[in-house]
């Protein structure tokens, strides 16, 4: 614009009339050039089209961290998926009552995973971990794409991620304390892996926030950590009396001798029940189970397909036998005849009816 104005001014000046010559002084023969100095300032603006070059404006710095290579959000997503897989596996084992494969620690690992501390308010602890890791993985992916659901701003998403990882690291620290005090000498590879993942996620997010921003939210972090520890203490304190009693309870396995004689009907019924695959589930300390065996008598009781659900005795942390667990046995005695479950002591007439046994079968052929 300034350059155009300057050129227009020069053109207008070139149309002005020439100064008159003096009659007494002869002008020189050389051509005369008029020089006009105009007070025009030059501007470094574009000459042709100003719209071709975008205007540079200063924008406020973003609070989200920028990294070269793999971003911290992608790291959170990857670690979250790993933790979700681990806790998902443990949750599946808990609900199916299956034994975990413990590459390090052996039996002590299973003792920790099957202990009463593996439940929080009656909910399996791995289920809480699976939810937490799932949220971390999801938020990491959304933040990496800068596309959060429900119109959540990026700063809010980062703050939520910080809160979740803070709660996870606080819980992991608490469980490591329990592992060193309540299970001295035991090794739990799954517990240590989960703790390592939680701490790694926490320090990754803290590093991205930076010291200045962390100082602004440290109060919130302390509140979240305190809330998690208080909740865990409340959960375990409610069962503290039961845990203490179980520590002192130890019942070794013993066998009970059946001295009564078996009737011909009891012998035939026992043979028939065994031939169709009927089973009786019981426990060595169950008085009703002993009464059911006495009803059959010594010889017939030996024929029955009886399953002992606690063959190694009963003490704190003892699990029911797998065969009983697979059959969903929750009381003794329990009969399973042709797929039908009969709980408690049963009369001969009921057992004969459910199994299809008739009295004529007592006559040997």
């Amino acid at each position: 614009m300034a350059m155009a104005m300057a050129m227009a001014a020069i053109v207008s000046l070139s149309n002005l009339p020439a100064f008159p010559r003096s009659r007494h002084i002869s002008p020189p023969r050389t051509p005369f050039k008029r020089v006009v100095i105009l007070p025009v300032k030059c501007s470094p603006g574009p000459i042709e089209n100003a719209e071709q070059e975008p205007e540079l404006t200063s924008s406020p710095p973003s609070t989200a961290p920028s990294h070269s290579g793999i971003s911290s959000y992608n790291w959170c997503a990857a670690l979250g998926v790993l933790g979700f897989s681990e806790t998902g596996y443990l949750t599946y084992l808990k609900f199916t009552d299956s034994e975990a494969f413990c590459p390090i620690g052996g039996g002590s690992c299973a003792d920790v995973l099957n202990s009463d501390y593996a439940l929080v308010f009656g909910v399996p602890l791995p289920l809480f971990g699976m939810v937490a890791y799932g949220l971390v993985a999801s938020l990491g992916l959304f933040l990496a794409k800068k596309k959060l659901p429900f119109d959540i701003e990026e700063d809010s998403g980062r703050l939520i991620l910080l809160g979740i990882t803070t709660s996870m690291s606080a819980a992991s620290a608490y469980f490591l304390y329990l592992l060193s005090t309540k299970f001295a000498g035991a090794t739990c590879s799954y517990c240590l892996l989960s703790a390592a993942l939680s701490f790694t996620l926490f320090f990754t997010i803290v590093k991205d926030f930076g010291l200045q921003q962390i100082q602004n939210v440290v109060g919130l972090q302390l509140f979240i950590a305190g809330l998690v520890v208080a909740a865990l203490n409340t959960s375990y304190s409610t069962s503290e009396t039961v845990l203490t009693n179980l520590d002192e309870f130890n019942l070794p396995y013993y066998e009970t001798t059946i001295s009564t004689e078996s009737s011909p009907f009891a012998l035939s019924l026992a043979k028939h029940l065994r031939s169709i695959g009927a089973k009786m589930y019981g426990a060595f300390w169950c008085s009703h189970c002993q009464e059911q065996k006495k009803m059959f008598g010594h010889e017939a009781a030996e024929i029955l397909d009886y399953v002992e659900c606690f063959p190694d005795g009963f003490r704190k942390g003892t699990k029911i036998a797998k065969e009983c667990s697979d059959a969903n046995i929750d009381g003794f005695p329990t009969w399973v005849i042709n797929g039908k479950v009969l709980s408690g002591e049963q009369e001969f007439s009921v057992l004969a009816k459910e199994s299809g046994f008739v009295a004529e079968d007592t006559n040997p052929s």
Side-chain angles (χ1 to χ4, degrees):
M1 179 66 72
M3 183 66 69
M5 293 176 62
M7 293 179 65
I10 294 174
V11 172
S12 61
L13 289 175
S14 63
N15 296 326
L16 293 177
F19 293 110
R21 297 180 179 178
S22 175
R23 295 181 179 178
H24 304 284
I25 301 175
S26 299
R29 297 296 181 181
T30 58
F32 176 74
K33 296 181 180 180
R34 289 189 295 267
V35 179
V36 181
I37 301 176
L38 299 177
V40 178
K41 296 182 178 179
C42 295
S43 173
I47 298 178
E48 296 180 356
N49 189 359
E51 295 181 356
Q52 294 179 355
E53 183 177 350
E55 183 179 0
L56 299 178
T57 58
S58 60
S59 58
S62 174
T63 57
S66 59
H67 303 279
S68 58
I70 302 178
S71 69
S72 59
Y73 300 147
N74 290 328
W75 277 115
C76 289
L79 295 175
V81 170
L82 180 60
F84 181 84
S85 301
E86 181 213 8
T87 51
Y89 167 69
L90 296 178
T91 302
Y92 167 77
L93 295 179
K94 200 69 177 178
F95 281 112
T96 58
D97 202 18
S98 304
E99 291 289 344
F101 170 72
C102 298
I104 302 176
S108 62
C109 174
D111 293 338
V112 175
L113 296 175
N114 297 324
S115 69
D116 298 285
Y117 291 100
L119 295 175
V120 178
F121 295 110
V123 180
L125 181 60
L127 183 59
F128 286 102
M130 187 173 68
V131 173
Y133 282 117
L135 289 174
V136 169
S138 300
L139 279 174
L141 291 175
F142 284 129
L143 286 170
K145 296 180 179 179
K146 298 185 181 299
K147 192 175 182 181
L148 293 169
F150 310 112
D151 295 330
I152 300 177
E153 296 182 355
E154 183 177 357
D155 289 342
S156 300
R158 294 175 67 234
L159 192 61
I160 295 174
L161 191 58
L162 177 65
I164 296 175
T165 54
T166 299
S167 64
M168 293 170 65
S169 59
S172 296
Y174 185 87
F175 292 130
L176 288 178
Y177 165 76
L178 290 179
L179 185 63
S180 62
T181 56
K182 303 295 184 180
F183 302 93
T187 302
C188 178
S189 55
Y190 295 102
C191 307
L192 298 177
L193 174 60
S194 182
L197 290 174
S198 298
F199 291 138
T200 303
L201 287 168
F202 173 71
F203 287 116
T204 299
I205 299 301
V206 168
K207 180 181 178 181
D208 280 346
F209 266 78
L211 180 60
Q212 184 176 1
Q213 292 187 33
I214 285 296
Q215 289 176 347
N216 296 332
V217 295
V218 66
L220 177 62
Q221 289 181 279
L222 293 175
F223 172 76
I224 294 175
L227 188 63
V228 170
V229 173
L232 293 174
N233 274 328
T234 302
S235 173
Y236 295 138
S237 62
T238 54
S239 57
E240 182 177 357
T241 304
V242 177
L243 293 174
T244 303
N245 294 334
L246 287 177
D247 285 338
E248 301 173 355
F249 186 78
N250 186 9
L251 184 62
Y253 174 78
Y254 60 87
E255 293 185 0
T256 302
T257 302
I258 305 298
S259 58
T260 58
E261 293 184 1
S262 301
S263 65
F265 183 86
L267 285 170
S268 298
L269 179 59
K271 292 178 182 178
H272 173 73
L273 290 172
R274 189 177 186 90
S275 67
I276 65 172
K279 292 185 177 182
M280 174 187 170
Y281 297 87
F284 66 94
W285 41 262
C286 171
S287 60
H288 296 285
C289 301
Q290 306 308 323
E291 293 296 328
Q292 186 78 85
K293 289 182 179 180
K294 288 179 181 180
M295 186 183 299
F296 275 90
H298 173 69
E299 297 86 354
E302 294 291 334
I303 298 174
L304 291 173
D305 190 358
Y306 173 76
V307 180
E308 173 60 51
C309 293
F310 293 94
D312 298 326
F314 185 82
R315 59 185 178 278
K316 179 182 179 297
T318 300
K319 295 183 63 177
I320 194 171
K322 188 177 186 305
E323 187 175 357
C324 301
S325 174
D326 293 341
N328 296 322
I329 303 301
D330 56 5
F332 311 107
T334 296
W335 289 88
V336 178
I337 304 175
N338 294 328
K340 186 174 182 179
V341 178
L342 303 175
S343 300
E345 294 181 57
Q346 303 296 326
E347 297 293 336
F348 281 167
S349 59
V350 177
L351 295 175
K353 178 182 178 181
E354 296 297 336
S355 65
F357 177 77
V358 292
E360 287 76 11
D361 292 343
T362 58
N363 298 323
S365 55

